[in-house]
Amino acid sequence: YRLELAYAWSNVGSVQEARGDLVAAEESFARTLDVKSSLVEADPGNVDWLGELAEEHNKLAVVQEKLGRYREALQSHREEVRLKGRLLEMDPAQSYWRFRLAVGMGFAGDLERVAGSGEEAVRLHREQMAILDSLTAFDPANAMWRRDAAIARRDLATILTGLGQPGAALALLDEAAPLLGALLAADSAGYVSRWDVASVHRSRAIALAAMGD
């Protein structure tokens, strides 16, 4: 009964978010979290419930960010990352949760940058990049993972440029550009857009300007 209740609140929250009723969506996702947290407390070894709880923190964080409540969104993403880390401790070979952890680290890193925690933002994005690189090494044909590995380089480069390290940023962007270019040329199921490629070139121009070139 409690699990069905949690699903119901989560579905309601998704509909409310889609309609733009973000305050109501936040409340619905918070109710979902309460129920799923109690389920995980009762059965900490249940990987499925733990994973659903982690993803619910992601949903809540996205709504909080849309509402402009970045501090609360950051806390939600931090909890998401912590829980996904627990999942990988329980099942290190699970590629799905490794990928979802990388996604969560990217969100958290972006908000750490907004909060002024540049070093923590860099750490999270470097860990995100390392996870995505390990996934693409495991499955080089996975275009989505390869695209995200390239975008992770762009995002980390943006942070490094802002921290006064444009040289390190350029090195990452020089890795990202050919990765995205190859994917775009191969028309990899629409995972890569021309905007992705253009965003890397834009970040590169900003880094060069920061170097005075």
Side-chain angles (χ1 to χ4, degrees), residues 44-177:
N46 191 311
V47 174
D48 291 335
W49 289 354
L50 188 61
E52 290 185 12
L53 179 62
E55 292 294 0
E56 214 63 45
H57 278 285
N58 176 278
K59 291 180 183 179
L60 179 61
V62 169
V63 169
Q64 289 169 331
E65 188 171 357
K66 288 179 179 178
L67 287 167
R69 298 219 295 274
Y70 300 113
R71 187 182 299 276
E72 293 170 53
L74 177 56
Q75 292 302 322
S76 295
H77 278 309
R78 283 173 175 168
E79 184 63 11
E80 173 198 358
V81 168
R82 186 187 72 81
L83 291 171
K84 288 175 179 175
R86 274 182 59 191
L87 280 166
L88 282 180
E89 289 174 3
M90 296 164 71
D91 187 3
Q94 175 54 261
S95 60
Y96 174 77
W97 287 117
R98 286 169 67 198
F99 174 70
R100 293 304 300 167
L101 174 60
V103 171
M105 284 180 163
F107 280 125
D110 289 342
L111 286 175
E112 292 286 4
R113 176 175 61 85
V114 171
S117 304
E119 290 186 7
E120 181 63 8
V122 168
R123 182 189 72 79
L124 285 165
H125 276 286
R126 285 198 186 283
E127 289 192 22
Q128 177 198 35
M129 193 172 69
I131 292 171
L132 290 168
D133 284 350
S134 71
L135 287 170
T136 57
F138 172 73
D139 184 5
N142 191 310
M144 180 173 67
W145 289 351
R146 289 169 64 196
R147 181 260 181 195
D148 285 357
I151 295 300
R153 283 165 167 74
R154 180 204 66 192
D155 292 345
L156 177 55
T158 298
I159 295 170
L160 289 172
T161 299
L163 291 173
Q165 302 175 46
L170 279 173
L172 290 167
L173 293 166
D174 285 344
E175 292 176 9

Side-chain angles (χ1 to χ4, degrees), residues 172-196:
L172 290 167
L173 293 166
D174 285 344
E175 292 176 9
L179 288 172
L180 289 174
L183 285 169
L184 185 63
D187 191 27
S188 304
Y191 286 125
V192 178
S193 68
R194 294 188 183 279
W195 185 89
D196 289 330

